[in-house]
């Protein structure tokens, strides 16, 4: 597991979600056209096989992404990425 690369990917997804959440807050919705599906790649890098990712893992990931404010700095996004990474490590498969 390449922790720093995974955290970097999460931070990039946070930046992407900042944009999408900001647009949504002003009434502009992309109809899920610009979803990157980095969550699948991140789960794979964390050792989950495609199709074997626990729902609870997705719940933690997506709940966090939906709560991302649009005005985080890059440093704050990186800090949140570390927190999310650690939260994802705590997810136990059901």
């Amino acid at each position: 597991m390449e922790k720093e690369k995974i955290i970097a990917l999460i931070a990039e997804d946070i930046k992407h979600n900042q944009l999408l959440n900001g647009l949504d807050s002003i009434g502009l919705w992309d109809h899920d056209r610009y979803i990157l599906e980095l969550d699948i790649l991140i789960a794979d890098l964390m050792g989950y096989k495609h199709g074997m990712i626990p729902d609870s893992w997705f719940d933690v990931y997506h709940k966090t992404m939906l709560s991302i404010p649009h005005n985080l700095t890059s440093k704050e996004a990186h800090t949140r990425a570390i927190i999310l990474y650690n939260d994802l490590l705590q997810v136990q498969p059901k």
Side-chain angles (χ1 to χ4, degrees), residues 5-72:
K5 288 181 182 179
I6 294 169
I7 290 171
L9 278 173
I10 293 171
E12 291 304 313
D13 204 18
I14 286 173
K15 289 179 192 177
H16 180 253
N17 277 277
Q18 282 180 271
L19 172 63
L20 295 181
N21 294 348
L23 290 172
D24 187 54
S25 74
I26 61 170
L28 298 173
W29 187 51
D30 72 345
H31 302 284
D32 293 334
R33 189 178 320 160
Y34 299 106
I35 292 178
L36 300 178
E37 296 186 4
L38 289 179
D39 53 351
I40 304 293
L41 176 60
I42 291 163
D44 181 59
L45 291 171
M46 292 182 76
Y48 292 101
K49 302 288 183 217
H50 189 65
M52 303 297 288
I53 305 164
D55 288 340
S56 54
W57 191 96
F58 281 117
D59 290 344
V60 169
Y61 193 91
H62 293 139
K63 181 179 176 184
T64 300
M65 289 300 169
L66 288 172
S67 70
I68 297 296
H70 67 277
N71 59 346
L72 292 180

